[in-house]
Amino acid sequence: MIAARFALCDPNDGKLYNVFMKLNSYLTLIGINKYICNDELSIADIAFFTNIGELKSGVFDDIPIGFIEQFPAIEALYIKVGTHPKIAKRYVNETEGLLFKAFKVTP
């Protein structure tokens, strides 16, 4: 099982790696000044933020914690959403645990 999860992240032929490369390319194409669907925060951005936050926090066994850092456009959107005032307000008092690790973003 561990080997299979690591294989997903392999830059040579990992399926998860390939999906994130495509997502990173899409986000690069639409530009850093936009959110996923348009110029304003939407439910798509919040879903993106929560899923990426969980990946970054190590919730998923055997997915390397630094995996997302290979994808600069994904990382940039994660930070943009996480520092949006309405999102940041939710996590301002988190100092430990999963919510802190996954969702408290400091630019």
Side-chain angles (χ1 to χ4, degrees), residues 59-92:
V59 167
F60 298 104
D61 292 340
D62 306 318
I63 302 294
I65 291 176
F67 177 69
I68 295 299
E69 294 168 6
Q70 306 174 74
F71 309 101
I74 293 173
E75 183 78 14
L77 182 59
Y78 172 79
I79 292 169
K80 182 176 182 173
V81 174
T83 57
H84 186 283
K86 290 181 178 180
I87 302 299
K89 180 180 176 182
R90 164 61 183 91
Y91 302 104
V92 71

Side-chain angles (χ1 to χ4, degrees), residues 19-63:
V19 167
F20 277 92
M21 280 298 292
K22 290 176 185 175
L23 177 60
N24 194 71
S25 295
Y26 169 74
L27 294 174
T28 301
L29 181 68
I30 65 170
I32 192 76
N33 296 324
K34 296 190 180 278
Y35 290 100
I36 291 175
C37 294
N38 54 37
D39 295 337
E40 295 185 25
L41 188 69
S42 71
I43 192 69
D45 301 297
I46 295 168
F48 168 88
F49 175 73
T50 56
N51 286 307
I52 297 302
E54 289 172 347
L55 273 172
K56 289 175 68 69
S57 72
V59 167
F60 298 104
D61 292 340
D62 306 318
I63 302 294

